[in-house]
Amino acid sequence: MMSRQGIFFTKPNDEWLKSQVDNQKYSNKSELLNDLIRQARNQQIQIDYAEGKIEKAEKSGFTKDSKEQILT
């Protein structure tokens, strides 16, 4: 089931969306936006996994470095 949303875009973002559809990479803006959201969700899953591993390492004593120190 799909839900309908009203979204406002800045001119540069709208032009980019239109160019992606015009270049036939996507059939419409909705398909493109759904793909971008899927990519962002998958990226968040990977980030959450990495942060979980770092937190587990911190708690296990494997490292004394903080998450911030490890990521920099």
Side-chain angles (χ1 to χ4, degrees):
M1 182 173 168
M2 297 272 224
S3 66
R4 186 172 178 89
Q5 302 290 320
I7 302 173
F8 297 96
F9 297 106
T10 62
K11 185 173 179 157
N13 287 344
D14 189 48
E15 289 172 355
W16 183 83
L17 289 167
K18 286 178 185 176
S19 75
Q20 298 303 299
V21 173
D22 290 344
N23 290 334
Q24 299 179 347
K25 293 181 180 181
Y26 296 91
S27 60
N28 56 53
K29 289 181 187 178
S30 292
E31 182 183 319
L32 169 56
L33 290 172
N34 277 305
D35 188 41
L36 291 172
I37 292 168
R38 271 191 297 276
Q39 290 177 39
R41 290 174 65 194
N42 287 333
Q43 184 179 30
Q44 188 62 54
I45 289 168
Q46 293 173 349
I47 290 168
D48 292 345
Y49 175 80
E51 287 178 343
K53 288 292 191 178
I54 292 169
E55 189 174 318
K56 184 177 177 181
E58 282 180 314
K59 290 179 180 178
S60 73
F62 177 76
T63 181
K64 295 194 185 295
D65 293 340
S66 70
K67 196 177 340 184
E68 291 75 22
Q69 290 170 317
I70 292 169
L71 294 173
T72 58

